[in-house]
Amino acid sequence: MFFKSQMSSKLLSWMVAGLSLVIAFYGLANVMPAIGDFRLGPFPLVEFRASFFALCVVTIALGACLKYCQGETSLLNAIISFIFLFVMLYCCWSFYLVSSELDEGMFLFGANEMWIAVLASLGALYFCWRIWGIPVALLGVVGILYMATGQYWPGPLQTVSHDVNETLAQNLLYSLDTGILGSTFAIVITTVFPFIILGALLEGVGAGDSMIRIAFHWMRKTAGGPAHAAVLSSALFGTVSGSAVGNVVGTGVITIPMIKRRGFSANFAGAVEASASTGGQIMPPIMGAAALVMADFVGVNYMTVIVAVLVPSIAYYASLFAMIVFESRRLGITSSAEVTGVDAPLKQDYLNLLLIFVPLVIIVCLLLYGLSPSGASITALAALFPLSLINPEIRRKPIKLIQSLQVGGRTFAGLLMAIAAVSIVISALSATGVPVKFSVLLASIVSNSLLISLIIAAFCCIVLGMGMPTLPAYVTVATIAIPAMEQLGLSALTSHMFVFFIAVGSVITPPVAIAAFAAASISGGGPIGTSVQASKVGIMIFVIPFTFAFNPMLLTVAQSGVSFDLLVWSWLIIKLVVGILLLATALTGFHSHKLAWYEIIGRLIAAIMLFAPNPVWDLVGIIGALLLWAWHKRQGFNMGRRLKGVD
């Protein structure tokens, strides 16, 4: 198995591809809606969860062996993965047997079940570490240790005495509510999984290159040129992928070199792509996996989440355009109709856009009609297969559709390991009562200060999001911090949306910014320098959550906790636009000419005043913005007169 031979590599490749395809079809069959009297799923919970998780484990373990055969990983990793393969298959079988007995009556957990649960968790955490890095896996390890030793911890962290065997067995594995095969697993399977497969298929049908060509053509006469095209193409691509790093890799290989050629620095080029790609996770209708989970957590339909995030997502991308405009002015970069390196779009490119927008329109219409997210996504999948034939590449090689399903299966198998780690953390928090303790502690510290509560929650999101996917960061912080935020008056939707936005932004925040690091590897810039620039370019992804936390009407839905008023909402939009311009000019240090240091500080203060909830501060912010703008125009007028005098 571990010998680097061409035969073993080819055999493993076929096995991994076949298993990925089985994962795709098996998962879709479980959530497929009934067609007349015909229906495949949902399958019995115990059998499905055990078998589906086992399929994912086999795929990942064999994938590790395949990487060794191809020289992409070490022999030690391949051996450990192979050992954990058999260990976790046995754990899945044990879960099936014990959970079946639990359905029939009581079951006494002993040391045997406890150790099986721990081994299953360690196996999932090992695979999570190899796929997603150490932070999320380390959180899972801490969760297991805390469940086992919580009664010995000091102060408020101490838990009540408990039977360690029963606590670990039930909360790690043998439960349909908690643990790695618990309720979070169910939400991801029934809601997120169809969108992962749809996203993989949308990428595979060949519209990605068409989107990039069209974006470059539309933006060719702007000063930012390729930078603006990167923002537009990443926004379009983000509606499909919902993955920041995938977005960077998918579009950045084309956009980043062209941004550099236009005259921008390597760090800025990578920062623009990373920030734009990050916004794909908040761009409806697909967004990221965390948004789908959020709808279940809050108890609202997914269409409500789409409507709520629409204005904030548009505002974020508008802020990226503004940052590029003023950076172009600062560097003296002018518009040019010449676009080198990207072919002009053809008629087929515009036809290929149907492959993106028709499925998205189907999803939105069906969500409005009342279908579940999984039902809407599966319907879009069914429509996409025949629709993809408008692309001549698919007609020549229809096997690409099957390959896309394989990619979706492999992607989800990897995501499921991160979900397992998150489930362990959630189980540890639930079993030990930490969220309640944290909520009480936070309330006692901050009293009635919503601002301090939001800052603490944002800090937790950024710290936990370092090196982690958005979904684990969001779920972990949501479990801990949201009860305290709700006690201070925020609605459930607003609280969850706040945590979601900050968790999304954590992928561009130094020192561990996975989206910025991916962009830096393409641009040739410094990873830290790129992440610092990305945080500056994408600053609004951190500002907007505070804005709608204090002004929930910005979310436009009743579930935000306030009734909609068109006049008040319009005023919020005006404030947001002015605030974006103030921040963009202050952070680039340029408007129509270079800003003095006191102008930069004044604009930052005016922006803060605009984002504050008090009407008095609104007035101060608007007057300050007008005065600063008038002063800047006067300075520019005087500079022009002096230059003419010199001439």
Side-chain angles (χ1 to χ4, degrees), residues 37-395:
D37 295 328
F38 175 75
R39 184 164 195 159
L40 294 175
F43 305 116
L45 289 180
V46 173
E47 291 92 328
F48 174 74
R49 294 191 190 182
S51 56
F52 193 85
F53 190 70
L55 279 171
C56 293
V57 167
V58 174
T59 302
I60 292 171
L62 292 183
C65 297
L66 176 61
K67 286 182 179 179
Y68 168 70
C69 291
Q70 296 172 342
E72 297 176 6
T73 191
S74 65
L75 175 61
L76 180 62
N77 176 41
I79 292 174
I80 294 175
S81 299
F82 203 60
I83 291 172
F84 269 126
L85 165 61
F86 292 101
V87 169
M88 294 185 71
L89 285 178
Y90 176 75
C91 293
C92 289
W93 175 248
S94 177
F95 168 83
Y96 168 72
L97 294 177
V98 172
S99 297
S100 298
E101 289 189 38
L102 282 172
D103 284 344
E104 297 173 3
M106 296 295 292
F107 183 90
L108 297 177
F109 292 99
N112 185 49
E113 288 74 28
M114 184 269 287
W115 284 113
I116 290 174
V118 170
L119 283 173
S121 301
L122 291 178
L125 292 175
Y126 177 78
F127 289 131
C128 179
W129 168 42
R130 300 304 305 182
I131 297 169
W132 299 102
I134 194 66
V136 63
L138 192 60
L139 272 180
V141 172
V142 172
I144 296 172
L145 292 176
Y146 188 47
M147 269 193 283
T149 63
Q151 54 192 323
Y152 307 111
W153 286 47
L157 293 176
Q158 187 178 41
T159 61
V160 296
S161 299
H162 57 268
D163 183 351
V164 175
N165 291 339
E166 183 174 355
T167 299
L168 290 180
Q170 276 200 310
N171 288 287
L172 291 179
L173 182 63
Y174 297 103
S175 173
L176 292 175
D177 296 321
T178 59
I180 59 180
L181 298 177
S183 56
T184 306
F185 177 96
I187 291 172
V188 171
I189 288 291
T190 56
T191 304
V192 177
F193 178 74
F195 280 92
I196 296 288
I197 301 298
L198 176 62
L201 195 62
L202 284 170
E203 289 183 45
V205 293
D209 291 340
S210 296
M211 283 194 298
I212 292 174
R213 281 192 288 271
I214 291 169
F216 271 88
H217 182 70
W218 286 354
M219 298 290 113
R220 69 191 186 281
K221 293 184 180 180
T222 63
H228 284 133
V231 173
L232 180 59
S233 60
S234 292
L236 293 172
F237 199 83
T239 63
V240 174
S241 68
S243 166
V245 176
N247 205 336
V248 168
V249 175
T251 61
V253 290
I254 297 174
T255 60
I256 289 175
M258 299 190 67
I259 296 172
K260 290 170 63 180
R261 284 202 292 271
R262 181 56 72 95
F264 296 98
S265 68
N267 285 349
F268 186 81
V272 167
E273 181 57 50
S275 303
S277 297
T278 297
Q281 295 183 86
I282 61 172
M283 178 57 69
I286 293 182
M287 298 190 280
L292 293 156
V293 173
M294 177 172 61
D296 278 277
F297 278 7
V298 179
V300 298
N301 62 59
Y302 187 53
M303 196 64 211
T304 301
V305 174
I306 289 175
V307 174
V309 83
L310 191 58
V311 170
S313 63
I314 293 173
Y316 175 67
Y317 275 103
S319 73
L320 297 184
F321 272 93
M323 290 292 291
I324 294 167
V325 166
F326 293 113
E327 181 69 10
S328 302
R329 291 183 183 179
R330 187 182 73 84
L331 296 174
I333 298 173
T334 56
S335 60
S336 170
E338 181 184 0
V339 180
T340 58
V342 176
D343 297 330
L346 304 173
K347 181 180 178 181
Q348 184 61 47
D349 291 313
Y350 289 99
L351 281 175
N352 286 349
L353 288 185
L354 293 174
L355 301 176
I356 300 294
F357 290 109
V358 169
L360 297 185
V361 168
I362 289 173
I363 288 172
V364 172
C365 291
L366 291 179
L367 288 173
L368 287 172
Y369 182 70
L371 249 67
S372 66
S374 57
S377 60
I378 288 174
T379 306
L381 265 173
L384 186 57
F385 273 95
L387 187 64
S388 64
L389 296 177
I390 68 173
N391 187 344
E393 291 185 15
I394 300 299
R395 292 199 299 271

Side-chain angles (χ1 to χ4, degrees), residues 605-640:
I605 292 173
I608 292 171
M609 295 298 100
L610 284 174
F611 294 130
N614 195 308
V616 175
W617 296 125
D618 288 353
L619 188 60
V620 171
I622 286 291
I623 292 174
L626 291 173
L627 290 175
L628 287 165
W629 179 79
W631 171 263
H632 188 75
K633 293 292 289 183
R634 180 178 174 79
Q635 291 289 95
F637 177 72
N638 291 337
M639 287 173 61

